[in-house]
Amino acid sequence: MFDAVIRRLSRALARQKILSSLKDWGTSFSLWPVHFTTACCGSEFAASFCPRYDAERYGFLPFVGTRQCNVLFIEGTVTKKMAEAAKIVYEQMPEPKFVFAMGACAIDGGIFWNSYNIVRPHEILPVDVYIPGCPPRPEAILKSLTMEQEKIRKKVTPHPEN
Amino acid sequence: MSEEQTLELLIGPQHPGSGHMRLVAEMDGDVILNFEPNIGYVHRAVEKIAETKTYVQIIPLVERTSLPDTANHNLGYVLALERLLGIDAPLRAQYLRILLAEINRIHSHLYGMGIHGNMIGSTTMLMWAFGDREPFIELAQRLTGARLSYSYIIPGGVRRDLPQDFRNDALKALSYMERRLKDYDRIFVHNPVTLARLKGVGVINRIDAARIGVVGPNLRASGIAYDVRKIEPYCIYPDLDFEVVVRDEGDAHARLLVRIGEIEQSISMIRQILGKIPDGSILADRYLDLVPSRTRFEKRSSVKFPALFSGLKPSKGEAVSRVEASRGELFHYLVSDGSTHPYRFRIVTPSFKNLIAFKHALLGQKLADIPAVYGSLDYFPPEADR
Amino acid sequence: MKPKDRRAGKLLGLTGHMQAIRSGIEHIFKPRMTVLYPEVLQDLGPNYRGMLKLRIDICISCTLCARICPSNALKMVKVDVRKYPGITYQRCIFCGFCVDICPVDALEMSGSHDAACYTLGEQVLKPEDFSKDPVIEDKPRVKPLFDEKRGLRYESC
Amino acid sequence: MNVVEQLLQILLSPTIIIPLIFPGLLTTFLVIIFIAWFERKLTAKVQLRYGPLYVLKSLGGLPQLVADLLKFLFTEIIIPKGSDKKAFILSPIFLFTLSMLPVVAIPLSNSYAAFFSDLSLLLVLALLTITPIFMLLLGWSSNNKFSFIGSLRDGYLMMAYEIPMFVSILAMAVAYDTLDLVQVVGRQSSGLWGIALNPLAAITFFVAMLMTTARFPFDVAEAESELVIGPYTEYSGIIFVLCLGASYAKLSVLSLFFAEVFLGGWNPLIWPLTLNPILPGVAVFVKGLLVMGLCVFMRSIYPRFRIDQVLKLGWHTLFVLSVASVALSLGIVWVLGF
């Protein structure tokens, strides 16, 4: 009884425009990627935090644990062995969570398109933003960030494909 | 020891100190009893895919095994392919190859140092090293047109000539790097906390290092002066004056110091190359003649590929090449059956050779030494898994 | 299995501590390395291997680009009577082989490489779309210059 | 009207304002937000980059921590299956409250404190001593190997810092001949601050303070490269913020304490500070913020120690230093004849 009241109340509160826009503002400036390096694009991902590009300007802080982060950055190829881990990591993260697919390998396999051991991430995870390139430039990563921030704030439909 | 007394820790693949693999550590209190790196998380079947691609298409493929160290991987493959084709690159192209390889060695070592710093908690070292990689990445980008995946070295030569002002820019970047190495010394390399964390940790002694087959800077930190650039010189290394950096301690700190020493050597090598690079063609005449004359490279800064490159057919046979990549000796083996695709392609990567050092160096160490040793070995999982 | 003998090192290396702290304080006053990306764009240099563009009017449909593409990103697509290359950035690895092998210079590389998209479909370009200029945002540009003291500095151009 | 006036009087009485507004919950909250932002900005500056910026560019990204807080407020709270639910939820709350509680015992001027005690010097430290128990509970209830090891390390760490900290404060108590913080500050009104009187105790206390609040190079309990984030590994959402906030709250309390014991508190009591009993408190806070700034600066300089090295440092060096500081204080008392 009490639980139900609380739940209804909190839902009604969350639907309020001010609260939801506050939430969107907070979330969009606090995208924390989880430390999960799937393949070699990780070296350019790290470079996007380096002093030359400094993704932390957007509040994009690479953090350590899955429970505290809300962004899963697929950095390059996902092999079959890594795909299981990627799914577990995604499930461990709290809502709301976002998935970025970085690099050609994470979109359609890139140069490894005919390898027997790769998985296309959009088949197993709901990807929000795709970043082409092999590896993409750090600028492209920053651009994907701004795009995702806009998407969160303006409430674009999260997954138009599904 | 019974199971209740030990604790099995699974570190990775999602873990700040793991990289792209899982480390299984069996702990007794704070001491590591058993250590198993579980690899294969980045196995993308590079060698198998190579059998479905033509010889030139494999150039970007071999680079992807080790993204921070693409130039050396590219060079190793092309040397093997050139032996199969029976051609040699002109002297200027050879100089340009080694120029790129040494630039790449510098920024690859900086990458390793940055990761090492982060592993033991110094985010400043990570940021500085990654920030100071950028001038060298920028140099390589001016030369090749890409940040990391250069695909610069092709059979018979290189793709682009030196851009204008490259010499001045490179000299500036080099003297900047020399200045920065002193900053690193102060804040990281000789920081008392770093010394406490790295000295005497993860020791691989001389005999063990030779026995288990460690390669590259990790081997040289154990006191063995083994460097393919000296032992079996390729390209223009015989003409260059450099030393093999060796240290005797064999611990994590020695490996760090060897990398810094190699950065210094690479700086001096790039200075020598820039000083005595000869003029001339950058693609072997055999291929240059096949290119339509109006697109020859004399009229532009980059070479045109002859149409032949879409289906190179080396004669039957096999070829090997050894190069000293940033992480150690890199070995390529190529078998041709006379068709456009290789019959068999095999890479022995330095990271795979160094993998065994984990197990060896970490037994009996503390839990906190796992990242310290992992960082010091400069292990890059995609390179080992291929 | 005995833990290895180890030296903990000198914990009170005072000069080391002082040097580290001094170096830290010095760097507070040094100029930053950051290029403020979304406000300014970096000039990537004349021969940067960025997004591709097809000049469909001079393409001779020789298929060499599709044959050398290492990742099968370029495919020949039939337009009217002839076949022209179309590209999918889902796979393109920006190696530039297609540009270098093109016998008539119908493919060229642009200096733009900062792309990202929400959906998969946007990345597949048919020859007609492929022959349009890649979208380059109109923002002030800076040129990275080498500097002995700062490594890289940026000058607007 | 009478009721309203009475209500106002109750609300504005020091017993309410001190724990809730100044220097209590609200001020501590603001200080935590500021210092966490300052830590990120300062680290970024040493690393030659910007740090948080675009959240509000004109203020240099000052509301970054507000954004982070809002995000955590609205994220799902995951309670792992194998955890002890009550302990899992309650221990961060206790941890945060207990880390902040000592603030009430810190007087901000001669007449402004939640309650005056003859033993406030001890009270602050005694209240802080309880927190590691909840840290242990936190790690144990998560049912995660990394949190467990992390909280054990925190327990070990307590052994290393607790005794030097107490002994160094004992040295100051001997030098000042009092256990009351108001009197401690009063003794420093001559201009001879504690840090000049007994520098050994100040250094010992500062290092012990770094250990208590898990600042670099002693953040072995949260060592991210081996233990994800130590005891807090399984925490998400707003209770994670409480966990993380607890260490900053501790830092803020200890910095105020440091400012009072070693940096002369609200001394020198010059003109604008004498106008209102709250104003000296601002001076204490400014000094406290400086100490906090110094503490968070360590992040950009040092890597982290290993746990056995920290214990060794605590027992071999700090303990000896703290005993030496007591001897120094005794010498001072003997020579100066306080």
Side-chain angles (χ1 to χ4, degrees):
Chain A
M1 174 64 197
F2 184 66
D3 274 11
V5 171
I6 293 274
R7 208 169 295 145
R8 196 172 292 173
L9 201 70
S10 57
R11 246 181 237 158
L13 271 176
R15 232 178 283 132
Q16 295 293 310
K17 194 144 187 245
I18 293 181
L19 273 187
S20 72
S21 59
L22 263 182
K23 175 193 165 200
D24 293 342
W25 177 80
T27 312
S28 72
F29 277 109
S30 177
L31 295 169
W32 289 12
V34 64
H35 187 109
F36 180 63
T37 332
T38 57
C40 45
C41 276
S43 55
E44 277 299 71
F45 183 68
S48 70
F49 292 98
C50 79
R52 187 166 174 197
Y53 296 100
D54 192 19
E56 205 191 339
R57 286 177 293 152
Y58 297 92
F60 193 59
L61 178 75
F63 209 67
V64 288
T66 44
R67 301 285 192 206
Q68 295 89 34
C69 297
N70 55 358
V71 167
L72 177 59
F73 233 99
I74 302 286
E75 297 155 22
T77 332
V78 181
T79 58
K80 283 185 179 160
K81 196 172 177 180
M82 193 64 103
E84 287 173 33
K87 278 193 93 162
I88 293 172
V89 168
Y90 182 74
E91 278 157 15
Q92 279 179 343
M93 288 180 351
E95 291 280 352
K97 49 194 168 187
F98 313 97
V99 181
F100 288 59
M102 173 184 176
C105 299
I107 304 174
D108 196 28
I111 196 168
F112 301 102
W113 61 280
N114 56 353
S115 168
Y116 57 75
N117 201 26
I118 67 155
V119 174
R120 284 152 177 78
H122 61 87
E123 287 167 6
I124 55 166
L125 295 169
V127 180
D128 286 83
V129 180
Y130 299 92
I131 315 166
C134 188
R137 282 184 72 85
E139 276 113 324
I141 295 166
L142 298 186
K143 182 162 187 181
S144 74
L145 267 179
T146 46
M147 281 171 68
E148 184 61 33
Q149 286 183 335
E150 265 167 38
K151 184 169 162 180
I152 292 168
R153 280 199 297 267
K154 286 181 186 163
K155 290 263 177 229
V156 187
T157 335
H159 308 301
E161 280 171 285
N162 317 351
Chain B
M1 199 167 275
S2 69
E3 222 170 82
E4 289 93 50
Q5 279 172 303
T6 59
L7 178 73
E8 195 184 45
L9 272 186
L10 300 180
I11 302 174
Q14 188 283 309
H15 189 287
S18 74
H20 339 35
M21 63 169 174
R22 169 170 282 165
L23 310 168
V24 185
E26 196 186 342
M27 316 283 307
D28 174 22
D30 206 24
V31 179
I32 300 164
L33 289 183
N34 200 359
F35 191 82
E36 284 292 339
N38 180 353
I39 60 165
Y41 279 92
V42 214
H43 171 66
R44 297 174 290 191
V46 168
E47 289 158 352
K48 198 71 195 166
I49 302 178
E51 291 166 19
T52 69
K53 292 196 192 303
T54 61
Y55 285 95
V56 174
Q57 286 176 350
I58 297 173
I59 291 174
L61 185 69
V62 291
E63 286 185 339
R64 296 306 185 277
T65 53
S66 176
L67 210 48
D69 188 23
T70 49
N72 287 303
H73 279 248
N74 187 346
L75 177 60
Y77 168 72
V78 171
L79 284 181
L81 180 56
E82 281 180 351
R83 273 170 208 164
L84 214 51
L85 290 165
I87 55 166
D88 263 327
L91 196 57
R92 185 176 174 82
Q94 307 240 12
Y95 268 87
L96 287 174
R97 286 174 177 187
I98 300 305
L99 174 66
L100 184 67
E102 291 305 324
I103 288 176
N104 202 328
R105 194 183 310 276
I106 292 178
H107 76 66
S108 172
H109 278 339
L110 284 173
Y111 180 88
M113 277 168 67
I115 299 283
H116 193 188
N118 194 32
M119 287 276 187
I120 64 167
S122 176
T123 44
T124 305
M125 186 60 221
L126 171 78
M127 290 298 174
W128 284 6
F130 271 69
D132 297 335
R133 265 176 92 211
E134 292 295 338
F136 291 96
I137 290 182
E138 182 74 28
L139 274 182
Q141 183 192 309
R142 299 240 170 125
L143 184 60
T144 68
R147 266 175 67 86
L148 289 181
S149 45
Y150 305 129
S151 307
Y152 179 65
I153 300 160
I154 50 172
V158 292
R159 281 170 73 183
R160 283 173 187 178
D161 210 344
L162 271 187
Q164 281 184 339
D165 291 340
F166 187 88
R167 189 164 314 190
N168 282 334
D169 290 344
L171 289 176
K172 278 178 189 165
L174 293 178
S175 55
Y176 169 72
M177 195 61 233
E178 278 176 340
R179 191 187 301 250
R180 287 295 282 170
L181 283 176
K182 287 175 195 143
D183 285 343
Y184 295 170
D185 277 358
R186 278 199 283 273
I187 212 154
F188 182 70
V189 181
H190 297 310
N191 190 322
V193 184
T194 315
L195 292 179
R197 279 303 299 278
L198 299 183
K199 281 255 174 189
V201 169
V203 179
I204 307 170
N205 63 32
R206 198 184 146 90
I207 295 162
D208 284 341
R211 184 173 57 82
I212 62 180
V214 177
V215 292
N218 303 333
L219 179 69
R220 297 194 276 274
S222 295
I224 299 176
Y226 180 87
D227 191 324
V228 182
R229 291 175 291 178
K230 280 278 188 211
I231 285 170
E232 199 181 296
Y234 51 96
C235 290
I236 52 144
Y237 279 117
D239 302 342
L240 295 179
D241 177 30
F242 69 101
E243 284 168 27
V244 180
V245 185
V246 183
R247 289 195 76 87
D248 292 327
E249 296 93 336
D251 58 3
H253 199 248
R255 293 194 272 273
L256 177 69
L257 292 176
V258 165
R259 292 217 163 73
I260 292 176
E262 289 198 2
I263 290 177
E264 281 164 355
Q265 291 299 321
S266 291
I267 288 175
S268 96
M269 263 187 259
I270 295 174
R271 288 220 170 97
Q272 293 171 40
I273 291 170
L274 291 172
K276 58 183 178 187
I277 184 164
D279 286 332
S281 163
I282 57 169
L283 189 64
D285 291 339
R286 197 210 290 184
Y287 294 137
L288 207 58
D289 294 341
L290 296 173
V291 180
S293 64
R294 65 191 168 83
T295 51
R296 285 271 174 83
F297 86 95
E298 287 93 352
K299 295 167 190 165
R300 46 201 292 156
S301 60
S302 63
V303 296
K304 269 289 180 189
F305 289 2
L308 177 74
F309 270 20
S310 66
L312 270 183
K313 276 188 190 167
S315 51
K316 259 189 190 176
E318 54 183 25
V320 296
S321 76
R322 291 162 78 194
V323 293
E324 183 73 22
S326 327
R327 287 171 177 77
E329 180 188 345
L330 175 70
F331 179 87
H332 283 268
Y333 173 62
L334 201 54
V335 183
S336 158
D337 58 355
S339 70
T340 53
H341 306 287
Y343 175 75
R344 178 81 177 95
F345 178 49
R346 175 92 174 103
I347 321 170
V348 181
T349 49
S351 281
F352 188 71
K353 290 262 195 181
N354 288 334
L355 182 70
I356 196 164
F358 272 97
K359 218 181 150 176
H360 194 84
L362 275 168
L363 289 188
Q365 305 282 21
K366 305 271 164 61
L367 171 62
D369 292 337
I370 294 177
V373 172
Y374 179 52
S376 77
L377 288 173
D378 195 12
Y379 175 71
F380 192 65
E383 194 179 84
D385 293 350
R386 300 185 297 279
Chain C
M1 202 166 289
K2 263 169 66 182
K4 276 177 193 163
D5 186 42
R6 59 174 63 242
R7 295 169 289 142
K10 267 179 103 180
L11 292 176
L12 271 178
L14 265 181
T15 45
H17 286 287
M18 294 321 288
Q19 270 192 349
I21 291 172
R22 204 189 78 199
S23 177
I25 292 171
E26 271 171 14
H27 278 82
I28 295 178
F29 304 104
K30 287 201 175 167
R32 297 176 171 101
M33 294 177 183
T34 313
V35 47
L36 289 166
Y37 160 67
E39 291 156 38
V40 291
L41 292 181
Q42 245 185 94
D43 192 36
L44 298 177
N47 53 10
Y48 184 76
R49 307 208 304 256
M51 300 297 219
L52 294 153
K53 189 199 163 192
L54 170 71
R55 286 168 68 193
I56 204 163
D57 48 324
I58 50 175
C59 176
I60 53 166
S61 305
C62 66
T63 74
L64 271 177
C65 51
R67 273 165 64 193
I68 200 160
C69 181
S71 55
N72 275 27
L74 274 165
K75 284 204 179 98
M76 301 307 283
V77 183
K78 199 161 191 177
V79 180
D80 301 330
V81 282
R82 277 168 66 188
K83 280 189 170 180
Y84 293 104
I87 194 169
T88 162
Y89 285 117
Q90 291 176 9
R91 277 195 196 156
C92 178
I93 56 164
F94 299 92
C95 59
F97 282 177
C98 46
V99 179
D100 279 359
I101 205 167
C102 183
V104 290
D105 288 335
L107 284 164
E108 51 189 42
M109 290 252 167
S110 71
S112 158
H113 197 167
D114 49 335
C117 48
Y118 294 125
T119 55
L120 280 173
E122 301 168 40
Q123 299 162 354
V124 185
L125 300 185
K126 290 203 175 93
E128 304 93 75
D129 306 320
F130 190 23
S131 52
K132 285 173 194 151
D133 274 320
V135 185
I136 298 176
E137 282 166 82
D138 187 30
K139 279 175 183 162
R141 291 189 163 254
V142 289
K143 193 173 166 50
L145 296 173
F146 287 86
D147 191 293
E148 276 183 33
K149 287 206 174 114
R150 296 178 53 186
L152 284 176
R153 67 192 161 83
Y154 303 93
E155 207 166 74
S156 55
C157 61
Chain D
M1 282 313 277
N2 211 9
V3 181
V4 175
E5 264 174 31
Q6 271 186 343
L7 213 65
L8 266 179
Q9 209 163 23
I10 292 170
L11 282 180
L12 291 178
S13 68
T15 41
I16 298 288
I17 286 189
I18 288 173
L20 284 187
I21 296 171
F22 185 79
L25 207 58
L26 188 69
T27 318
T28 314
F29 177 72
L30 289 178
V31 165
I32 289 173
I33 282 193
F34 176 76
I35 205 70
W37 169 81
F38 183 71
E39 178 172 15
R40 281 169 75 171
K41 278 303 249 195
L42 186 70
T43 314
K45 191 74 200 45
V46 176
Q47 293 165 357
L48 309 173
R49 59 196 178 94
Y50 278 91
L53 183 67
Y54 285 122
V55 63
L56 189 62
K57 209 187 165 192
S58 50
L59 283 182
L62 188 58
Q64 178 61 51
L65 268 289
V66 182
D68 288 341
L69 191 69
L70 276 172
K71 180 202 67 178
F72 274 121
L73 197 63
F74 287 106
T75 41
E76 183 188 2
I77 296 171
I78 296 171
I79 299 168
K81 226 177 190 175
S83 65
D84 185 327
K85 288 197 178 55
K86 279 175 199 151
F88 186 81
I89 295 172
L90 286 180
S91 47
I93 298 173
F94 276 110
L95 184 69
F96 185 74
T97 323
L98 281 170
S99 307
M100 257 194 57
L101 199 60
V103 108
V104 292
I106 297 177
L108 290 185
S109 79
N110 287 324
S111 56
Y112 189 78
F115 62 95
F116 295 94
S117 159
D118 292 345
L119 300 170
S120 49
L121 200 67
L122 280 184
L123 188 62
V124 174
L125 290 181
L127 283 174
L128 276 175
T129 321
I130 312 174
T131 52
I133 295 167
F134 287 97
M135 201 72 124
L136 278 175
L137 194 60
L138 205 90
W140 175 79
S141 67
S142 305
N143 192 18
N144 178 315
K145 283 173 186 168
F146 294 113
S147 350
F148 187 61
I149 298 174
S151 59
L152 274 183
R153 281 190 180 186
D154 202 76
Y156 274 123
L157 208 57
M158 193 185 96
M159 312 280 170
Y161 66 69
E162 205 88 298
I163 293 168
M165 199 174 208
F166 266 84
V167 176
S168 61
I169 288 303
L170 175 75
M172 294 320 285
V174 169
Y176 295 136
D177 192 22
T178 176
L179 285 173
D180 185 355
L181 272 171
V182 178
Q183 287 186 31
V184 164
V185 178
R187 294 281 151 81
Q188 298 176 67
S189 58
S190 60
L192 186 64
W193 291 356
I195 194 164
L197 191 67
N198 193 341
L200 272 184
I203 292 171
T204 318
F205 186 81
F206 184 75
V207 177
M209 190 171 126
L210 289 178
M211 287 189 190
T212 320
T213 53
R215 295 291 110 203
F216 274 79
F218 305 111
D219 75 329
V220 284
E222 297 161 21
E224 58 173 48
S225 48
E226 61 251 27
L227 295 181
V228 194
I229 185 161
Y232 323 132
T233 305
E234 288 288 348
Y235 282 87
S236 60
I238 196 72
I239 45 175
F240 172 70
V241 176
L242 286 182
C243 294
L244 213 59
S247 78
Y248 281 101
K250 241 189 210 174
L251 176 67
S252 129
V253 166
L254 276 171
S255 302
L256 291 182
F257 187 68
F258 189 89
E260 300 235 314
V261 177
F262 293 104
L263 297 181
W266 48 85
N267 288 317
L269 205 56
I270 41 172
W271 167 66
L273 298 182
T274 49
L275 293 177
N276 191 303
I278 297 183
L279 287 177
V282 178
V284 178
F285 259 92
V286 170
K287 285 179 186 173
L289 278 175
L290 285 178
V291 178
M292 278 183 242
L294 195 59
C295 288
V296 297
F297 179 54
M298 296 298 151
R299 170 179 288 270
S300 43
I301 295 173
Y302 288 118
R304 76 173 69 79
F305 274 122
R306 210 166 46 211
I307 178 75
D308 54 322
Q309 289 165 344
V310 180
L311 292 179
K312 202 172 170 188
L313 181 78
W315 285 105
H316 279 211
T317 316
L318 279 191
F319 182 63
V320 177
L321 268 180
S322 63
V323 172
S325 72
V326 175
L328 184 64
S329 287
L330 287 172
I332 289 165
V333 172
W334 186 63
V335 171
L336 299 181
F338 267 79

